[in-house]
């Protein structure tokens, strides 16, 4: 059995992945190219193994069995969920928010929301307007300055609907996979930055805007409404991944961040309208968005 | 006479006349509207629901029966959520 192994660091926490599946290994390296840092000589704290036998893949974390699956396509997601949980457990110095983030210059927009709120699709769609991609799903905030750090994990969507124009495709890789899931074929899409879109790990962004998106398929028209600061703190606090470990300083940090930012609630059922409202707030960077790219992506999904 | 003891381990932030409370035991977050915020603050200085009602009625020049009902419901909520003992 040929084992392939890689070591990497995330927020200075050293990891190791070992597998005997070359296809998964290559995919893992490719998808994480903008996210991880090279090893810094420290012994790995968390070790994952993904071993394929004749019937299934077994995922182990530090030798302990975690999961078994017959499919290859969810392996990356399962391993990265484990990596994410390890960060919350071992790295106590940062706030981790369930949020997407983009930036214009040094000013960041956070898009916090639960699964299904449309934040990943919106984060991806806003890249068409020339904004920088900071992160999706996990937003990392530094505790002292309350700035956002790049955490450029792939944006993954359940469909093959790339709401991106050709200019975005120059700096982002669209990795599509299609695998059998029970009796259906499941299309997945991972979008991750490359070239100029990869941000230096030391870059930091001030939180200037916080928008809580809410996708509603029956929504007629899109609305961006200012939120009260207390309501924003309350809503944002529910989007912390590592709230139990924050204790005394989490609420203070959160309210300080909200006080400095403009906070809005976005209700929308139309992606283009949502993007234009956000662009009106953040200002235009560039971007001729090609016709048809954003036209009701959410509506189209239902008919596929 | 009923006294209100706010839990001392709660983390409280006042933002724009409203309060957000984080309960480190349950990890629940509570958002108090302006009325509940006033009741919460009066819990520090008042000895009973009647005293809070009197204070609020004088300040807001509102209907005492309505204020009494609101105060009673708010205190009930504080109790149910474990914010006061």
């Amino acid at each position: 059995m040929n084992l392939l192994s890689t070591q990497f660091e995330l927020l200075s926490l050293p990891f190791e992945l070992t597998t005997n599946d070359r296809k998964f290994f290559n995919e893992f390296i490719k998808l994480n190219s903008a996210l991880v840092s090279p090893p810094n000589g420290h012994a790995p704290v968390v070790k994952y193994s993904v071993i394929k036998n004749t019937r299934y893949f077994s995922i182990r974390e530090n030798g302990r069995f975690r999961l078994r699956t017959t499919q290859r396509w969810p392996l990356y997601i399962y391993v990265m969920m484990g990596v994410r949980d390890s960060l919350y457990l071992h790295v106590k110095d940062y706030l981790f928010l369930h949020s997407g983030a983009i930036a214009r210059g040094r000013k960041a927009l956070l898009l916090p929301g639960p699964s299904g709120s449309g934040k990943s699709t919106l984060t991806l769609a806003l890249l068409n307007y020339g904004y920088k991609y900071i992160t999706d799903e996990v937003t990392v905030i530094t505790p002292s300055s309350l700035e956002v750090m790049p955490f450029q994990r792939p944006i993954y969507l359940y469909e093959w609907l790339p709401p991106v124009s050709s200019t975005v495709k120059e700096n982002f890789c669209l990795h599509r996979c299609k695998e059998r899931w029970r009796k259906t074929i499941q299309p997945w899409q991972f979008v991750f930055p490359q070239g100029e879109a990869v941000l230096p790990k030391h870059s930091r962004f001030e939180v200037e805007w916080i928008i809580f998106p809410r996708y509603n398929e029956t929504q007629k028209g899109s609305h961006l409404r200012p939120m009260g600061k207390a309501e924003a703190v309350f809503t944002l606090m529910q989007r912390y991944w590592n709230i139990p470990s924050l204790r005394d300083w989490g609420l203070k940090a959160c309210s300080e961040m909200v006080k400095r930012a403009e906070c809005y609630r976005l209700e929308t059922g139309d992606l283009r309208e949502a993007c234009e409202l956000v662009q009106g707030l953040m200002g235009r960077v560039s971007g001729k968005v090609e016709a048809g790219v954003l036209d009701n992506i959410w509506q189209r999904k239902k008919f596929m | 006479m009923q006294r209100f003891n706010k839990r001392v381990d709660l983390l409280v932030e006042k933002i724009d006349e409203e309060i957000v409370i984080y309960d480190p035991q349950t990890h629940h977050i509570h958002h108090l509207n302006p009325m509940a915020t006033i009741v919460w603050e009066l819990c520090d200085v008042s000895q009973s629901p009647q005293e809070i009602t009197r204070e609020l009625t004088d300040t807001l020049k509102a209907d005492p029966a309505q204020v009494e009902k609101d105060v009673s419901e708010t205190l009930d909520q504080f109790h149910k959520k474990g914010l006061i003992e």
Side-chain angles (χ1 to χ4, degrees):
Chain A
M1 183 166 64
N2 286 331
L3 286 179
L4 302 155
S5 183
T6 180
Q7 290 191 2
F8 58 92
E9 285 196 6
L10 258 177
L11 302 174
S12 302
L13 185 68
F15 290 89
E16 182 183 81
L17 171 79
T18 306
T19 182
N20 61 348
D21 187 74
R22 181 168 290 281
K23 191 172 175 187
F24 165 65
F25 184 78
N26 291 340
E27 186 179 68
F28 188 87
I29 299 283
K30 184 180 168 188
L31 292 176
N32 274 352
S33 56
L35 176 66
V36 302
S37 304
N40 203 10
H42 300 110
V45 172
V46 189
K47 296 180 180 180
Y48 288 95
S49 70
V50 177
I51 302 299
K52 181 188 178 188
N53 66 20
T54 50
R55 293 178 58 196
Y56 48 75
F57 297 90
S58 291
I59 303 178
R60 288 177 181 274
E61 181 186 308
N62 287 342
R64 287 192 316 273
F65 174 78
R66 265 185 80 100
L67 201 98
R68 179 179 293 165
T69 173
T70 55
Q71 304 291 320
R72 183 183 281 108
W73 67 268
L75 288 176
Y76 174 77
I77 293 167
Y78 288 149
V79 171
M80 290 312 288
M81 280 164 69
V83 167
R84 186 192 69 190
D85 292 347
S86 299
L87 286 175
Y88 306 154
L89 187 68
H90 294 282
V91 181
K92 305 286 187 192
D93 307 337
Y94 299 98
L95 306 161
F96 295 104
L97 271 175
H98 190 188
S99 167
I102 57 167
R104 180 184 179 196
R106 281 208 64 234
K107 294 179 175 176
L109 161 71
L110 303 189
L111 292 163
S115 299
S117 60
K119 62 184 180 310
S120 294
T121 311
L122 191 56
T123 301
L124 179 57
L126 284 165
L127 302 179
N128 291 294
Y129 293 83
Y131 303 119
K132 294 175 196 164
Y133 173 61
I134 303 177
T135 186
D136 184 41
E137 284 288 309
V138 180
T139 294
V140 185
I141 310 278
T142 60
S144 51
S145 58
L146 301 177
E147 291 173 308
V148 187
M149 293 173 64
F151 193 80
Q152 293 182 298
R153 68 204 296 279
I155 300 172
Y156 45 87
L157 302 171
Y158 297 99
E159 304 281 353
W160 280 11
L161 289 166
V164 289
S165 56
S166 51
T167 47
V168 174
K169 285 178 191 164
E170 286 169 18
N171 288 319
F172 285 82
C173 184
L174 273 61
H175 178 78
R176 288 171 163 185
C177 41
K178 197 174 186 180
E179 301 255 1
R180 186 171 295 279
W181 174 245
R182 295 183 180 144
K183 290 182 178 173
T184 62
I185 299 292
Q186 181 70 38
W188 280 83
Q189 179 174 253
F190 295 88
V191 183
F192 58 96
Q194 56 186 3
E196 288 176 13
V198 177
L199 299 172
K201 296 282 185 288
H202 57 78
S203 43
R204 299 288 182 269
F205 302 89
E206 294 165 10
V207 181
E208 186 78 8
W209 308 274
I210 304 173
I211 295 179
F212 298 89
R214 189 188 291 162
Y215 164 62
N216 177 357
E217 63 181 7
T218 60
Q219 177 87 26
K220 301 282 182 223
S222 300
H223 308 286
L224 192 63
R225 294 197 172 94
M227 278 176 92
K229 297 282 183 183
E231 186 192 0
V233 171
F234 172 72
T235 315
L236 194 60
M237 284 291 286
Q238 294 174 70
R239 300 270 68 85
Y240 274 120
W241 286 113
N242 59 333
I243 197 164
S245 63
L246 298 177
R247 296 265 157 187
D248 52 341
W249 59 280
L251 179 59
K252 285 223 172 301
C254 185
S255 62
E256 191 53 43
M257 197 158 58
V258 165
K259 279 178 196 165
R260 295 179 193 177
E262 295 174 30
C263 303
Y264 299 87
R265 192 179 288 288
L266 171 68
E267 295 192 357
T268 183
D270 184 293
L271 191 56
R272 180 179 285 272
E273 278 183 9
C275 288
E276 284 172 2
L277 284 170
V278 174
Q279 189 193 223
L281 194 67
M282 293 181 73
R284 201 176 181 86
V285 176
S286 69
K288 182 175 169 284
V289 182
E290 291 156 12
V293 167
L294 298 177
D295 288 346
N296 261 338
I297 289 293
W298 283 315
Q299 296 295 322
R300 272 197 276 154
K301 270 185 182 182
K302 291 188 292 189
F303 302 108
M304 288 199 66
Chain B
M1 188 175 284
Q2 190 179 348
R3 285 189 64 90
F4 313 103
N5 293 317
K6 289 182 184 173
R7 273 180 44 210
V8 289
D9 60 331
L10 296 173
L11 303 172
V12 180
E13 275 286 304
K14 189 169 181 186
I15 308 145
D16 292 350
E17 305 307 314
E18 293 179 318
I19 278 177
V20 179
I21 300 173
Y22 171 61
D23 184 338
Q25 285 183 20
T26 61
H27 305 302
H28 287 164
I29 301 132
H30 308 278
H31 175 203
L32 309 190
N33 62 24
M35 176 69 175
T37 298
I38 296 170
V39 175
W40 178 260
E41 288 178 332
L42 285 173
C43 285
D44 286 329
V45 292
S46 303
Q47 301 290 314
S48 67
Q50 292 75 18
E51 232 180 283
I52 294 177
T53 304
R54 205 174 317 127
E55 188 76 34
L56 270 173
T57 309
D58 291 348
T59 312
L60 304 174
K61 310 284 183 226
D63 172 24
Q66 185 60 47
V67 173
E68 188 179 2
K69 183 172 169 278
D70 290 346
V71 167
S72 167
E73 284 175 3
T74 306
L75 290 172
D76 263 2
Q77 286 294 317
F78 290 168
H79 266 296
K80 279 184 189 157
K81 293 180 187 303
L83 303 177
I84 54 177
E85 294 165 333

